[in-house]
Amino acid sequence: MITHDIIVVGGGLAGLRAALEAHLRGADVAVISKVHPIRSHSVAAQGGINASLGKDDSWEAHALDTVKGSDYLADQDAVEVMCRDAPGRVLEMEHWGTLFSRTPDGHIAQRPFGGAGFPRTCYAGDRTGHNLLHTLHEQVMRAGVKIYLEWLVTRLVVDKGRCTGLIAMHTPSSKLEVFGAKATVLATGGYGRIYQRSTNAIINRGYGISLAYHAGVPLQDMEFVQFHPTTLLGSNILMTEGARGEGGYLYNKLHERFMSIYAHDMMELAPRDIVARSIQTEIDEGRGFEGGYVHLDITHLGEKKIEERLGGIRQISIDFAGIDPVKEPIPVQPGQHYSMGGVPCDVNGATPLDGLYAAGECACVSVHGANRLGGNSLLETIVFGKRAGEHAAGYVAGIAMPGESPYLDELDREKEAISQLMGEGGENFAVVRDELRSVMQQDVGVFRNRTGLQRAVDTVRMLRERGRNVRVKSSATSFNFELLNAIELKGMLELGQVIAEGALVREESRGAHYRTDFLERDDEQWLKHTLAYYAPVGPRLEYKDVTITQFQPKKREY
Amino acid sequence: MIKFKIRRQDGDRVWHETFSVEETPGMSVLEALFFVQERLDGGLCFRYSCRGAVCGSCAMLINMVPRLACRTQVSDAQSEMTVDAVKWGALARPVAKVGKDEILIEPLPNMKVIRDLVVDMEHFYELLDYIKPWISAGEEVPEGGNLMSPKVEQKIEAYTNCILCATCYGACPVAGRDETYLGPAALAKAWRFYLDPREKEKDKRARLEAVNNQSGVWGCDVVFKCTAICPKKVTPTQGILAQRRQIPKNKIKNIFNRGKKSED
C-alpha cells in the first residue's frame, strides 16, 4: 500500500494547481494520472482565460456576465469567489512563466469573448491551455511533487462515511494497487466522449465523475451539457470562440450572417448555447451546407493577424480539413464541449463525502449553472484547484492517516470485477460504446424533447444491461487498452443515464438544456439544482436551491 | 481497404503483422489504428489522447518518418514509399511512392519499446528535467504582473509551442548513438528559458553552463532533422546554435555558424 496525505486524481490544470498549492503548504501530496500531465485535455484549451484586469472592468461586471450566461442557475456566492480571485490567479500564472500574448505596452492581451460585456479574456494566441498547462507542469516539477504516471483509478475506498484512498491499476503492468490518503482530490475532467461529436480528447470518458457517483456522492446538474458552436467538420476539433472574438463571421449557405436574427446586438459573440442553437437551426431548416455545417469566416482578418492570434486553429484546419482559413472559410458544426454538471462541492472543493474534494470540469461548484461562458473554464481550474489544494492541506494537517480501512476487501472486490470482464465471447466494448455515443448525440443534444429523451433513457438502460456482458479478449498484461476501455465504459453508460434521465424530468428550457416541448425557462418550478444519487437501476433524483445574492433572475437577452 | 504493416513487440518477441483497414474520408493514421484495436486485435497498443496534434501522445514512425499519428492522413501516407531504410535512421521527410501498397508503422526510434508502439518515455522526461525547465520565480507576484514586449513574446513563442511529443528525439542521429545527449526538445526548452526576461540571470547562466558540453549543445550534428520533422514548427537546431553563440569561450568551436548574423 502506498500512502500520501493527499492524492490528486488527474494531472490537468485543476489537479496540478491543487497539488502545487497543497505542496507549498507543506502537505505530502502526489498526483496520479492515466496519462502524463501534459497529455491532459487542458492542453487543448484555446481561446483564453477571463480576469477583470482592465482599468474599466471589475469583478462585479465579470460576475454579472457569468450569472446571466448561466441562465441564473449558477450559485452566485461561488461566482463571486471565482471572479474576485481571477486577477490574482492569472497574474500568478504569468509570474510563473506562462507566455501570454501582449499589448503594445507589454501588458497581458485580452480579447472579447461570448456573453461578456468587456474584452476580459486573457490569451496566449490560441494556445492558452497549452501555455498554462506547460507552465504549471514546470512549477510542479520544480516543487518535486511525486507523479504516478499512467495509472487508472478504478474505485474510491470509503470507510464509515469518509474517503480513505483509492484502488488504481498500473497501466504498464495491469497490477492493482491500494493508495491510502487522508484526503483525495478528484480533478479528472469531463466526459465528452460519451457523445459522437465532441471536441474532447479521446481520454475524456468521465470515469472520475463516476467514481464519486459509486462512492455515494450525488452528481449535480448533469443534464446541462455545453455544445460548442464551432467544431471542425469531420474531426470535431475545437475552433476557438477567439476566432469570433477577433472578428470572425458565421455564414449559412445563402451567405447570410444569420446571427442577426438570433442575437441582434451581440451577433456572433452571443453565449455558446445561443450560437449553437442558431447554427443547428440553420442546418435543420436547410440553410446549412450539404453534410450539416455552416461557415466560420476569418479570411478578412488577414494572414498576419490570423498567424499571430489564431495560428493554432489555422494549422489544425490545414492538417485536419485541408482548408487554409487565410484563404477559405472553415466548415463548422456544433459539438459536445463541456460539462456544466459534475461532483457537487463548495468553494473550497469539499464534496458531501468527508475527505473527498473535487476541482475543475469534473466538479460542480456551481459557477457555470446552465451554460458556461467561454474563458471561465480555464479560470475555474486554477481558482478552485488552488482553493481545493489549500483547504485539503489544512484538513489533513489535523488528522491521522486512516489506519484500519477496508482496503484489502476493496482490492479483492476490484480484482474480482476485473477477472469477470476477461474472456471470450460477450459484447465488444466498442460496439456498445458507439451505440451510446450515437443515442446521446441523437436524442440528448442541442435540441431535446420528451420522445427523444424517453428513447435515450430506454436505450441507455438497455445498453447498461449489454455493458455487463462486455468481455475483454486481449490477455496482454501491459497497456491492455481493451481492458481499460471496458472498465471505463461502465462509467460512461452510467453518466449517459444520469444525463438523459435528468434532462427528461427537467421540463423547461434553461441555458444549454433546451426542450422544444417546453420552450420557456420556468423559475417557479425549476430554479433549482438537480442531484442524482446512485441506485442500481438508475439514478434517484433530488433537488436543491440555487444561491442568489445580488442578481435577481431576469429574461436573458443578447 | 488499406494495408497497415505494424511492428509488434512483446518482451523479446518481435514480429510484423499486416492489417487491412477500411478507409473512410479524412481518416488519420490514429483512427486507422483504433480500427485495428477495436475491431481486429484488442491487444495492439499505442498511446493517444487529444487526436488534434496538441497533446503529443501518439508519436511513432510512419513510413520511417517520426510523426504524430493523429496528424498524418492515411491518404497522404498511402502515397509514400515504405523503404527499408533502417541503415539511414529515421527519415526527415517522406519518400514518394514507388511500389508497395501499404503503410509501415513502427515505434519511435531511440527509445526502449515497452510493447508494440508504446515506448519508454522516462529517459526523455529525465533529460528534460536535467535542464531545470522552469522559471525560478520568487514568491512575490509583482503588482499588475510582469511587462513583456510583444516582440520578445513572439521570439519565445517559437519555442513554447513544443508539445514534448519526442518526434525530434526519435529523428535525432546523436540521440541514437549517445543516450547522455540531452536531445533537441530539452535543448530547445533550455533556449526558451534563456530568452525569457522573467528568468534570473544567474539561473540563465547556470542552465547555459549545464548544456556547455558534448551531452549538450556541442553534441548536436547540425543536420536539422529535428527542425524538419517538428509537428509544431519548433526549430531546435537553431536554438542549439543560438546557445553555442552565448558561450564565449567556445566561440571558436562554433564552426557551423560562421558568417551568420547573431540572434541577440
Side-chain angles (χ1 to χ4, degrees), chain B residues 1-5 18-21 78 101-104:
Chain B
M1 294 291 239
I2 302 206
K3 287 196 178 111
F4 281 80
K5 187 175 175 185
T18 304
F19 297 95
S20 292
V21 174
Q78 203 183 3
D101 197 19
E102 61 186 19
I103 296 170
L104 179 64

Side-chain angles (χ1 to χ4, degrees), chain B residues 226-243:
Chain B
C226 52
T227 298
I229 56 91
C230 176
K232 306 313 279 186
K233 297 184 182 162
V234 180
T235 55
T237 319
Q238 286 80 344
I240 290 167
L241 296 180
Q243 285 173 94

Side-chain angles (χ1 to χ4, degrees), chain B:
Chain B
M1 294 291 239
I2 302 206
K3 287 196 178 111
F4 281 80
K5 187 175 175 185
I6 302 176
R7 184 185 188 276
R8 309 289 301 269
Q9 182 168 345
D10 195 356
D12 295 335
R13 197 163 78 92
V14 177
W15 72 103
H16 285 78
E17 204 162 341
T18 304
F19 297 95
S20 292
V21 174
E22 249 174 81
E23 194 191 355
T24 53
M27 188 185 231
S28 65
V29 168
L30 184 68
E31 288 170 309
L33 292 174
F34 278 125
F35 183 91
V36 174
Q37 191 187 58
E38 292 174 3
R39 317 285 158 168
L40 305 175
D41 183 350
L44 178 70
C45 71
F46 49 92
R47 286 195 182 92
Y48 58 85
S49 174
C50 78
R51 67 79 173 82
V54 289
C55 81
S57 299
C58 64
M60 55 185 71
L61 211 51
I62 301 168
N63 290 342
M64 293 302 294
V65 182
R67 283 183 269 192
L68 299 177
C70 68
R71 187 172 172 263
T72 308
Q73 292 289 309
V74 167
S75 54
D76 291 341
Q78 203 183 3
S79 59
E80 298 161 6
M81 187 171 75
T82 64
V83 283
D84 295 318
V86 178
K87 60 179 182 213
W88 307 347
L91 302 177
R93 50 185 62 81
V95 179
K97 187 185 182 106
V98 266
K100 282 190 196 168
D101 197 19
E102 61 186 19
I103 296 170
L104 179 64
I105 307 286
E106 298 162 289
L108 211 54
N110 303 338
M111 290 166 149
K112 207 179 103 213
V113 174
I114 296 179
R115 196 167 72 77
D116 291 345
L117 303 170
V118 174
V119 293
D120 190 347
M121 295 284 288
E122 195 147 324
H123 184 57
F124 176 79
Y125 296 138
E126 278 168 9
L127 293 173
L128 185 72
D129 202 29
Y130 175 81
I131 64 121
K132 297 189 168 58
W134 50 75
I135 297 272
S136 307
E139 279 182 24
E140 285 298 304
V141 179
E143 183 79 24
N146 300 289
L147 296 180
M148 184 188 287
S149 80
K151 213 175 137 195
V152 171
E153 182 268 319
Q154 280 157 25
K155 211 164 149 183
I156 305 172
E157 200 242 354
Y159 290 91
T160 53
N161 285 340
C162 169
I163 56 174
L164 298 174
C165 64
T167 49
C168 57
Y169 195 79
C172 177
V174 187
R177 61 176 190 260
D178 176 6
E179 65 167 30
T180 72
Y181 180 56
L182 293 171
L187 291 170
K189 191 65 87 181
W191 181 236
R192 172 253 177 279
F193 287 106
Y194 190 89
L195 288 171
D196 200 313
R198 294 170 293 192
E199 181 67 323
K200 296 186 194 83
E201 282 307 316
K202 77 168 172 51
D203 294 313
K204 287 187 184 183
R205 280 199 303 278
R207 196 178 286 111
L208 202 56
E209 200 40 55
V211 300
N212 180 17
N213 48 53
Q214 280 300 312
S215 296
V217 294
W218 303 105
C220 173
D221 274 358
V222 201
V223 292
F224 293 91
K225 272 190 167 178
C226 52
T227 298
I229 56 91
C230 176
K232 306 313 279 186
K233 297 184 182 162
V234 180
T235 55
T237 319
Q238 286 80 344
I240 290 167
L241 296 180
Q243 285 173 94
R244 287 183 181 181
R245 287 193 291 273
Q246 296 301 323
I247 301 170
K249 65 177 179 192
N250 286 317
K251 260 194 175 146
I252 195 144
K253 290 193 207 165
N254 196 350
I255 53 166
F256 298 106
N257 200 39
R258 266 182 305 200
K260 277 198 189 165
K261 211 175 122 218
S262 165
E263 281 186 20
D264 295 359

Side-chain angles (χ1 to χ4, degrees), chain A residues 94-409:
Chain A
E94 190 282 329
H95 184 58
W96 287 339
T98 301
L99 195 75
F100 284 104
S101 296
R102 299 287 169 158
T103 60
D105 61 356
H107 291 97
I108 294 175
Q110 293 180 285
R111 61 166 49 123
F113 241 47
F118 198 89
R120 84 167 58 90
T121 306
C122 310
Y123 62 92
D126 58 357
R127 299 182 176 100
T128 313
H130 165 91
N131 279 282
L132 290 170
L133 185 65
H134 279 251
T135 299
L136 256 186
H137 180 242
E138 287 157 13
Q139 293 299 320
V140 164
M141 284 167 81
R142 177 187 178 201
V145 172
K146 168 78 184 167
I147 298 178
Y148 293 91
L149 280 187
E150 301 185 316
W151 288 76
L152 178 72
V153 175
T154 59
R155 72 168 71 196
L156 299 176
V157 179
V158 179
D159 183 26
K160 299 182 197 80
R162 179 181 163 201
C163 180
T164 56
L166 48 90
I167 311 285
M169 180 186 279
H170 182 228
T171 311
S173 65
S174 299
K175 291 245 164 63
L176 289 168
E177 178 66 82
V178 178
F179 289 77
K182 297 178 187 175
T184 302
V185 183
L186 286 180
T188 55
Y191 54 68
R193 286 285 155 171
I194 72 172
Y195 280 82
Q196 202 165 46
R197 290 179 189 162
S198 172
T199 59
N200 284 195
I202 297 165
I203 60 170
N204 287 26
R205 303 187 183 113
Y207 199 59
I209 299 175
S210 78
L211 292 176
Y213 185 52
H214 272 268
V217 181
L219 302 185
Q220 183 174 327
D221 294 342
M222 292 292 281
E223 63 269 35
F224 295 98
V225 180
Q226 180 160 80
F227 297 88
H228 198 285
T230 59
T231 78
L232 189 63
L233 180 71
S235 58
N236 297 107
I237 298 174
L238 178 64
M239 292 288 115
T240 176
E241 190 165 305
R244 284 170 284 137
E246 294 294 344
Y249 300 140
L250 290 169
Y251 289 115
N252 62 19
K253 75 170 177 192
L254 306 169
H255 203 68
E256 293 164 337
R257 261 183 88 188
F258 55 84
M259 280 312 298
S260 63
I261 311 168
Y262 305 97
H264 187 266
D265 293 341
M266 293 199 88
M267 297 287 284
E268 280 87 353
L269 284 179
R272 290 176 177 171
D273 57 335
I274 293 171
V275 183
R277 277 196 291 279
S278 307
I279 293 176
Q280 197 59 51
T281 303
E282 292 297 305
I283 295 169
D284 292 348
E285 294 182 357
R287 293 185 297 279
F289 292 88
E290 180 78 33
Y293 64 92
V294 297
H295 275 159
L296 170 61
D297 190 353
I298 57 171
T299 53
H300 55 286
L301 301 181
E303 180 163 4
K304 186 170 176 284
K305 192 167 181 184
I306 292 174
E307 199 43 52
E308 233 172 71
R309 303 204 185 162
L310 301 166
I313 61 156
R314 181 189 185 190
Q315 194 60 48
I316 289 167
S317 301
I318 293 170
D319 290 344
F320 291 89
I323 277 166
D324 184 351
V326 167
K327 297 178 190 133
E328 291 174 83
I330 309 166
V332 294
Q333 60 184 191
Q336 192 283 347
H337 181 59
Y338 184 83
S339 166
M340 270 74 74
V343 181
C345 62
D346 66 15
V347 293
N348 296 315
T351 74
L353 177 61
D354 192 25
L356 184 69
Y357 291 77
E361 189 176 344
C362 74
C364 182
V365 188
S366 148
V367 285
H368 309 307
N371 174 63
R372 174 174 71 76
L373 290 190
N376 271 352
S377 66
L378 287 181
L379 178 60
E380 175 190 21
T381 63
I382 57 171
V383 165
F384 293 106
K386 188 224 181 219
R387 295 179 75 97
E390 179 179 346
H391 198 264
Y395 171 85
V396 301
I399 57 171
M401 192 63 75
E404 298 286 309
S405 232
Y407 296 118
L408 295 180
D409 296 344

